[in-house]
Amino acid sequence: MGINAKNIRITIAEPVRLPEGVIHTGNRIWISKTIDFANPVVYVDNEEDLRDNYFTLDIADDDTLYVKTQYVYNGGPDANPVEGSLSSVSRISSLKGNQEGLTISDTIVETPRISLVTSYANTSAGESIIKGSDFDMYTSIGNHVSSTWIFKDLYNKTIMTVSEDVDRLTEFKLPEEIESLKYYIVELYYHTDTNAISNAGKYFNITENKTSTLFTVEKLNRLVIGRPLYFKIKLRTVKFKSLNIVVKDMNGVVVEEIENTTDLSPSLNTDNYVLGSLYYFEFKIDLGDKYTDTVIITDIASNDVILYDPNKTYSNKNDYKQLISLGGKTSQLSYQLYNESILMVTESNKAIGLFKYVNENLIYVGDIIELPVDMDIELPSLYVNEMSNGDVLVVYTGKDTDNMGEIFMNLYGFNPVTNEFTFKTSKSLGIRESVVRPGAITITWDNTIHYVEYTEDRTPFLTSVNLYTDATSTIEIPIHAGSSVGIVRDMNDNIMIVGGTDVYDTEGDTVPGLRTNDKIYIFNYSNQTFTELGWNIMERVDLAYYSFHPVLQHNSNVVLFNTLDNNNIEAIENQSTIQVDVDVVEVIHYPNDHSDNLPYLCTVVLRNGDVLRISSVIRDPQKVYGYISNTMDEGLMDDNDNVVRNLVELTVKDGEDITVEYVNQYDKVVIEGTGKLNIERKGEITTYDQHSLIITRDTVKYRRGFEAENWKNILLVDAELIIKDEDDEFN
């Protein structure tokens, strides 16, 4: 479609009632073809047309325009003594070239977040307080002057309403008639002195509201839309004949009903549940002779997006964790699964190993998925991520004679309760360079898999495939890079495209290579458009990185982890991170390299937002570093400004007899007096006493003191013991 001069309308809704003496006198309007507004095509400070504004722009139908506005006020306390007080800038809106225009509303009050806390301010016994978050506005002006509190029962029937309360703005002592209920719903609205009102913040108190002495029901996982919800029934009677299950929504409408089943590990389909709605699950057992008993459990329907905490902050520091064996050099990008399992390739490169992250340590549990290969997989490399419906995607590169270098995507059904994987389908991507090492693969919420591939002339394309529908599409990426382009999706299903180089060879790892692409693009998956973030924004980072594992943080920023694997040793050795802030259009280099001069090609993304990085050298052990959220005191930093975590110590006290399986989860092990520590591995138990030295972290001891300790047994668990002479202490 060609470019034509078109009239675009921007309508700005009038402010609601303003404080006395404050007058709306004008609007500021920005229109830009890029989301960073670096070079807006329109900027006006308009004091005439306060509602409808018209602009003539040269634009094609499929072009995207970005708009933001700002109110101008004249007078009132906020304007004194300066005329022309300004509101905050509105959120960014967008429109296509084939639209006539858009309307931007004036006032948005942030929806309050609600929690239940116990206060001891007035009584030593404590009292229950419903607490709302601090008042905040996105645009316009106004003050928080009152709040409306509504209390409802399970069926959404209103029990009590306190309208526009001027005394209890953010805290409300829970009334006795509400606190006595097994479950209830609280809705909270904030009102301003400018007639604005927030959306309802909601709190659900959903404790188990009916129990039985004859059987128990355990809900084994959280209610996530699109994923099976698992239960486990435990009987306390031998008279059980059958089980009936009825699911109702918060209005009492039956959603699902299962009759006369004898399955004591039932699961329910949640595809059609409504986000944020409360459901209750009624389990009724038939004991014969017309006698039944009932258990009721409640839960709120959520999705994976809710697991992200937008208020989470990051320290941008690294924390040394441990040593680990993975069978030598690997390239892996693994996302922790819903039940906190972690899948990685280990020494058995025909299978995928199951790991748990316990007390800030990765612990290998055993192999869990046998891959359909005769030879070890290539490199080996592995990508693991969970689909929004709970299935698990595994991507690896074959090494068998008939598929050498061929990339496969395997889809598995996954039971998070039993850790069972059921093969569903597989798709070959053909002979292509790795999508794992450069982080060139991601999954959007609709379960579409996106990856980067290249034509024979090394033009990058973004290919999208859905393994459930076989739908496939491809679109050219508007950058000049023939290798190592990385991608990651954001909260809104946009895809960030970053990195890449034109300096490469067919192997991609035998020449130094420099980043030749300084652009970052945001691909809108819904309307298939690319928008550059800033202008050559990576020029601001004076690092030779071009291959990354891009990782989405909970706060919507993206962190780029270096995955270079070529002859540019200086660049490989620098494991500093780069943060991309899309909201403020900025990249920040954090000099948080851990100075061990090793390549790191393995990344594990934990569900809590932390990230583990694992070294990739030919011989084990590999080092593990964590990049953690800002949950530690800034005083807990070492001389290199990295986080120092509290030691996790296992102390077996005098007279105790303790059995553990994963002793490497502890930083220090101490056995006192007559204490006994039994370590179980592969069915065999070995007992250690106070004369045993158990080392789980790299340790340096000096010879004289070490010999004086006279240890009878020494156990090294994924760690190294170095004995030095005293002369070395001062060298």
Side-chain angles (χ1 to χ4, degrees), residues 684-696:
E684 296 183 0
I685 295 179
T686 305
T687 301
Y688 298 88
D689 60 17
Q690 64 171 332
H691 302 296
S692 303
L693 174 62
I694 301 174
I695 294 179
T696 60

Side-chain angles (χ1 to χ4, degrees), residues 531-571:
T531 302
E532 185 176 355
L533 184 68
W535 176 257
N536 289 336
I537 194 169
M538 289 292 286
E539 286 183 343
R540 308 175 191 179
V541 180
D542 187 22
L543 295 172
Y545 305 173
Y546 61 79
S547 179
F548 305 103
H549 278 168
V551 174
L552 175 66
Q553 292 183 318
H554 282 216
N555 57 12
S556 298
N557 292 336
V558 171
V559 175
L560 308 179
F561 292 98
N562 181 7
T563 59
L564 283 179
D565 185 26
N566 57 20
N567 286 340
N568 192 345
I569 303 302
E570 183 179 351

Side-chain angles (χ1 to χ4, degrees), residues 693 695 699-707 709 714 720-726 728:
L693 174 62
I695 294 179
T699 302
V700 176
K701 285 182 173 288
Y702 292 100
R703 189 174 304 281
R704 185 179 304 167
F706 175 71
E707 291 176 350
E709 291 169 341
I714 299 176
E720 184 177 359
L721 173 62
I722 300 173
I723 306 298
K724 288 189 175 184
D725 292 324
E726 271 66 23
D728 295 333

Side-chain angles (χ1 to χ4, degrees), residues 329-369:
K329 182 178 181 178
T330 64
S331 173
Q332 308 191 53
L333 177 54
S334 182
Y335 286 78
Q336 189 177 35
L337 304 182
Y338 174 77
N339 67 349
E340 299 187 351
S341 294
I342 297 169
L343 303 187
M344 288 195 296
V345 175
T346 61
E347 297 183 29
S348 176
N349 292 330
K350 295 180 183 179
I352 298 175
L354 171 65
F355 289 76
K356 292 291 186 178
Y357 191 59
V358 182
N359 288 342
E360 300 188 14
N361 281 272
L362 276 172
I363 298 173
Y364 171 63
V365 178
D367 289 343
I368 196 167
I369 299 179

